[in-house]
Coordinates of all heavy atoms in Angstrom, one line a residue:
A1 N 0.8 -1.2 0.0 CA 0.0 0.0 0.0 C 0.9 1.2 0.0 O 0.6 2.3 -0.7 CB -0.9 0.0 1.2
E2 N 2.0 1.2 0.7 CA 2.9 2.4 0.8 C 3.5 2.6 -0.6 O 3.6 3.7 -1.1 CB 4.0 2.2 1.8 CG 5.1 3.2 1.9 CD 4.6 4.6 2.3 OE1 3.4 4.8 2.6 OE2 5.5 5.5 2.4
A3 N 3.9 1.5 -1.3 CA 4.5 1.7 -2.6 C 3.5 2.3 -3.6 O 3.8 3.1 -4.4 CB 5.0 0.3 -3.1
I4 N 2.2 1.8 -3.5 CA 1.2 2.4 -4.4 C 1.0 3.9 -4.1 O 0.9 4.7 -5.0 CB -0.1 1.6 -4.2 CG1 0.0 0.2 -4.7 CG2 -1.3 2.4 -4.9 CD1 -1.2 -0.7 -4.5
R5 N 1.0 4.2 -2.8 CA 0.8 5.6 -2.4 C 1.9 6.5 -3.0 O 1.6 7.6 -3.6 CB 0.7 5.7 -0.9 CG 0.5 7.2 -0.4 CD 0.5 7.2 1.2 NE 1.9 7.0 1.6 CZ 2.8 8.1 1.8 NH1 2.4 9.3 1.4 NH2 4.0 7.9 2.3
L6 N 3.1 6.1 -2.9 CA 4.2 6.9 -3.4 C 4.2 6.9 -4.9 O 4.6 7.9 -5.5 CB 5.5 6.3 -2.9 CG 5.8 6.4 -1.4 CD1 7.0 5.6 -1.0 CD2 5.9 7.8 -0.9
T7 N 3.8 5.8 -5.5 CA 3.8 5.8 -7.0 C 2.7 6.7 -7.5 O 2.8 7.4 -8.6 CB 3.6 4.4 -7.6 OG1 4.6 3.5 -7.0 CG2 3.7 4.3 -9.1
R8 N 1.6 6.8 -6.8 CA 0.5 7.8 -7.1 C 1.1 9.2 -7.1 O 0.8 10.1 -7.9 CB -0.7 7.7 -6.2 CG -1.6 6.5 -6.4 CD -2.9 6.6 -5.6 NE -3.7 5.5 -5.7 CZ -4.6 5.3 -6.6 NH1 -4.6 6.1 -7.7 NH2 -5.3 4.2 -6.6
Q9 N 1.8 9.5 -6.0 CA 2.5 10.8 -5.9 C 3.4 11.1 -7.1 O 3.3 12.2 -7.6 CB 3.2 10.9 -4.6 CG 2.4 11.0 -3.3 CD 3.3 11.3 -2.1 OE1 4.5 11.5 -2.2 NE2 2.7 11.3 -0.9
L10 N 4.2 10.1 -7.4 CA 5.1 10.3 -8.5 C 4.3 10.5 -9.9 O 4.7 11.4 -10.7 CB 6.0 9.1 -8.6 CG 7.2 9.2 -9.6 CD1 8.1 10.4 -9.3 CD2 8.0 7.9 -9.6
A11 N 3.3 9.7 -10.1 CA 2.5 9.9 -11.3 C 1.8 11.2 -11.4 O 1.6 11.8 -12.5 CB 1.4 8.8 -11.3
A12 N 1.4 11.8 -10.2 CA 0.8 13.1 -10.2 C 1.8 14.2 -10.5 O 1.5 15.3 -11.0 CB 0.1 13.4 -8.8
A13 N 3.1 13.9 -10.2 CA 4.1 15.0 -10.4 C 4.8 14.9 -11.7 O 5.4 15.9 -12.2 CB 5.2 14.8 -9.2
I14 N 4.9 13.7 -12.3 CA 5.7 13.5 -13.5 C 4.8 12.8 -14.6 O 4.2 11.8 -14.3 CB 6.9 12.6 -13.2 CG1 7.8 13.2 -12.2 CG2 7.7 12.3 -14.5 CD1 9.0 12.3 -11.8
D15 N 4.8 13.4 -15.8 CA 4.0 12.8 -16.9 C 5.0 11.9 -17.6 O 5.7 12.3 -18.5 CB 3.5 14.0 -17.8 CG 2.7 13.4 -18.9 OD1 2.2 12.3 -18.8 OD2 2.5 14.2 -19.9
H16 N 4.9 10.6 -17.3 CA 5.9 9.6 -17.8 C 5.2 8.3 -18.0 O 4.6 7.8 -17.1 CB 7.0 9.5 -16.8 CG 8.2 8.7 -17.3 ND1 8.2 7.4 -17.7 CD2 9.5 9.1 -17.5 CE1 9.4 7.0 -18.1 NE2 10.2 8.0 -18.0
P17 N 5.2 7.7 -19.2 CA 4.4 6.5 -19.4 C 4.8 5.3 -18.6 O 4.0 4.5 -18.2 CB 4.7 6.2 -20.9 CG 5.9 7.0 -21.3 CD 5.9 8.2 -20.4
E18 N 6.1 5.2 -18.2 CA 6.5 4.1 -17.3 C 6.1 4.3 -15.9 O 5.8 3.3 -15.2 CB 8.0 3.9 -17.4 CG 8.5 3.0 -18.5 CD 8.0 1.6 -18.4 OE1 6.9 1.3 -18.7 OE2 8.8 0.8 -17.9
V19 N 6.0 5.5 -15.4 CA 5.4 5.8 -14.1 C 4.0 5.3 -14.1 O 3.5 4.6 -13.2 CB 5.5 7.3 -13.7 CG1 4.9 7.5 -12.4 CG2 7.0 7.7 -13.7
A20 N 3.2 5.7 -15.2 CA 1.8 5.3 -15.3 C 1.8 3.7 -15.4 O 0.9 3.1 -14.8 CB 1.2 5.9 -16.5
G21 N 2.7 3.1 -16.1 CA 2.7 1.7 -16.3 C 2.9 1.0 -15.0 O 2.3 0.0 -14.7
L22 N 3.9 1.5 -14.1 CA 4.1 0.9 -12.8 C 2.9 1.1 -11.9 O 2.5 0.1 -11.2 CB 5.3 1.6 -12.2 CG 5.7 1.0 -10.8 CD1 5.9 -0.5 -10.8 CD2 6.9 1.8 -10.2
L23 N 2.3 2.2 -11.9 CA 1.0 2.4 -11.1 C 0.0 1.4 -11.5 O -0.7 0.8 -10.7 CB 0.6 3.8 -11.2 CG -0.7 4.2 -10.4 CD1 -0.5 3.8 -8.9 CD2 -1.1 5.6 -10.6
A24 N -0.2 1.3 -12.8 CA -1.2 0.3 -13.3 C -0.9 -1.1 -12.9 O -1.8 -1.8 -12.5 CB -1.3 0.4 -14.9
L25 N 0.4 -1.5 -13.0 CA 0.8 -2.8 -12.6 C 0.5 -3.1 -11.1 O -0.1 -4.1 -10.8 CB 2.3 -3.0 -12.9 CG 2.9 -4.3 -12.4 CD1 2.3 -5.5 -13.2 CD2 4.4 -4.2 -12.6

């Protein structure tokens, strides 16, 4: 859950397809 929370923060800050891919995964 903590990893998802931090990845959400990163996705909100950076427009990057692999960040989105990791969050989706």
Side-chain angles (χ1 to χ4, degrees):
E2 173 68 357
I4 291 173
R5 183 182 71 85
L6 293 174
T7 307
R8 282 191 188 278
Q9 286 188 5
L10 188 58
I14 299 176
D15 184 19
H16 192 297
E18 273 293 82
V19 177
L22 178 58
L23 179 57
L25 175 63

